[in-house]
Amino acid sequence: MLFHRNSLTIRSAAKINVSLHIKGILPNGFHDLEMVNLPLDLHDIIEIDRTPYSQDTFVTCDDVSLSFTRHNLCTKAVEKMRAFFGFKDNFTINIHKEIPFAAGLGGGSSNAAAVIRGLVDLLEIKTTPEILSEIGLQIGADVPFFLSMKPSIVTGIGEKLEKIQVKKSYFCLLVKPNEGLSTQKVFAKFDEMKPENAPIDTEKVVAALTSGDDGLLAQSIGNDLEAASVSLLPKIAEIEKSLRFDGFRIVSMTGSGSTVFALTTNQKLARECFRKYDEQGYVTRLCKTLV
């Protein structure tokens, strides 16, 4: 007699955009992106339980302030997987939160990717990474990256991934104002402002990560959305300035904000500044980049 698992637990990791360059507008109206993404060991925990007699799938979360958007992304992941693979099962999905919301860390997309991976394991689905990536892209532009979870150059709207080699792991201090930012509003502000950003050299960013050259990395990173995000939430610029004053060289905003990250190999500096910004009331996390 064959026994099938009815539940599993899976990690749902965050990411930072070490650099984010907007190359232009695609024919479909989406922005043509060129990003260098690093996964983090900061993660949510997703518990998936198969509920054979349930008429629906239910998503719960231990963060009461959570937007319904994140619930919908997990529900959407189940619906898209069901539409493609034809299973009848329903599930209870519990999200245990550590990744801040509306932070540019990809928490919602990561949760959806974790659900996809979880369903593949739980239902013993035979498939390919390419098929799962196509399904993920229907849910959100960041989902294909979170299905891979490897340091990558990410282009297009997020569907094209090129894995890169990273020489070392960094301590990553994340500092976020209590206010979040809507990705849609930030991109709309970017289109309105059309800021003249300093050019971002993605090749140099990758070369710096590959060689472990922190000086080159500090000079090469950037985020084309930063001016738009700062115009909506000036605290972002204040945090960046403060982190540089603290002694961090590799500092930038991730995604559309509102989180600022600082990378260092100096554990003492990272821990001291984590306590400093935590005591000042910011949403603060200290983690490491994954290689």
Side-chain angles (χ1 to χ4, degrees):
M1 182 178 178
L2 293 176
F3 291 92
H4 299 283
R5 285 187 298 171
N6 285 317
S7 64
L8 60 74
T9 300
I10 190 167
R11 291 185 177 188
S12 172
K15 59 84 184 165
I16 54 170
N17 305 101
V18 179
S19 65
L20 191 158
H21 174 47
I22 299 178
K23 299 169 65 177
I25 304 293
L26 295 166
N28 59 10
F30 288 101
H31 292 82
D32 187 12
L33 304 176
E34 184 177 71
M35 305 175 288
V36 178
N37 291 1
L38 294 182
L40 304 176
D41 65 2
L42 171 67
H43 60 272
D44 298 336
I45 294 292
I46 308 290
E47 296 175 346
I48 306 175
D49 293 290
R50 183 161 32 187
T51 51
Y53 304 107
S54 175
Q55 299 300 309
D56 205 351
T57 287
F58 298 95
V59 179
T60 64
C61 180
D62 57 11
D63 184 347
V64 295
S65 66
L66 188 68
S67 165
F68 286 114
T69 301
R70 192 180 303 273
H71 287 188
N72 289 342
L73 288 179
C74 288
T75 303
K76 194 172 182 179
V78 176
E79 292 172 349
K80 293 295 183 183
M81 290 287 284
R82 188 193 310 281
F84 192 91
F85 294 108
F87 56 80
K88 304 296 184 183
D89 305 74
N90 281 303
F91 308 89
T92 297
I93 299 172
N94 299 307
I95 308 172
H96 301 275
K97 290 303 302 165
E98 284 295 333
I99 304 172
F101 176 65
L105 297 166
S109 294
S110 176
N111 291 169
V115 169
I116 289 174
R117 298 198 314 272
L119 294 183
V120 168
D121 289 346
L122 198 60
L123 302 179
E124 300 178 350
I125 293 172
K126 305 299 182 186
T127 185
T128 65
E130 292 76 18
I131 288 173
L132 295 180
S133 182
E134 289 177 14
I135 294 171
L137 194 61
Q138 297 174 41
I139 302 164
D142 275 337
V143 178
F145 170 75
F146 285 110
L147 289 168
S148 167
M149 281 306 298
K150 297 292 184 183
S152 300
I153 302 171
V154 183
T155 54
I157 64 170
E159 80 281 12
K160 300 173 185 175
L161 304 178
E162 179 185 343
K163 294 177 184 176
I164 59 174
Q165 294 296 317
V166 177
K167 185 171 184 178
K168 60 187 177 184
S169 175
Y170 293 91
F171 293 100
C172 180
L173 177 61
L174 303 172
V175 183
K176 176 189 174 295
N178 286 297
E179 304 90 338
L181 284 174
S182 158
T183 299
Q184 186 176 1
K185 289 182 179 178
V186 171
F187 272 100
K189 191 68 174 179
F190 173 86
D191 292 338
E192 175 191 320
M193 292 175 62
K194 295 182 172 60
E196 293 185 7
N197 297 299
I200 297 171
D201 191 329
T202 300
E203 289 186 6
K204 286 186 177 179
V205 174
V206 174
L209 289 170
T210 301
S211 64
D213 188 334
D214 291 356
L216 180 61
L217 187 60
Q219 296 169 11
S220 305
I221 63 174
N223 187 329
D224 283 346
L225 291 173
E226 190 168 315
S229 297
V230 168
S231 73
L232 295 169
L233 187 55
K235 285 183 183 178
I236 293 169
E238 296 172 13
I239 293 170
E240 284 200 14
K241 182 178 179 180
S242 180
L243 285 166
R244 289 193 173 95
F245 182 80
D246 290 330
F248 292 98
R249 299 169 66 194
I250 307 167
V251 179
S252 189
M253 184 186 80
T254 180
S256 56
S258 58
T259 301
V260 177
F261 69 84
L263 301 180
T264 183
T265 54
N266 185 333
Q267 185 176 13
K268 184 173 182 289
L269 174 64
R271 290 189 180 279
E272 287 177 352
C273 289
F274 168 76
R275 287 192 293 269
K276 169 186 172 180
Y277 290 98
D278 188 54
E279 289 171 359
Q280 290 179 3
Y282 291 102
V283 178
T284 313
R285 302 284 190 274
L286 180 58
C287 53
K288 295 194 76 173
T289 60
L290 298 175
V291 298

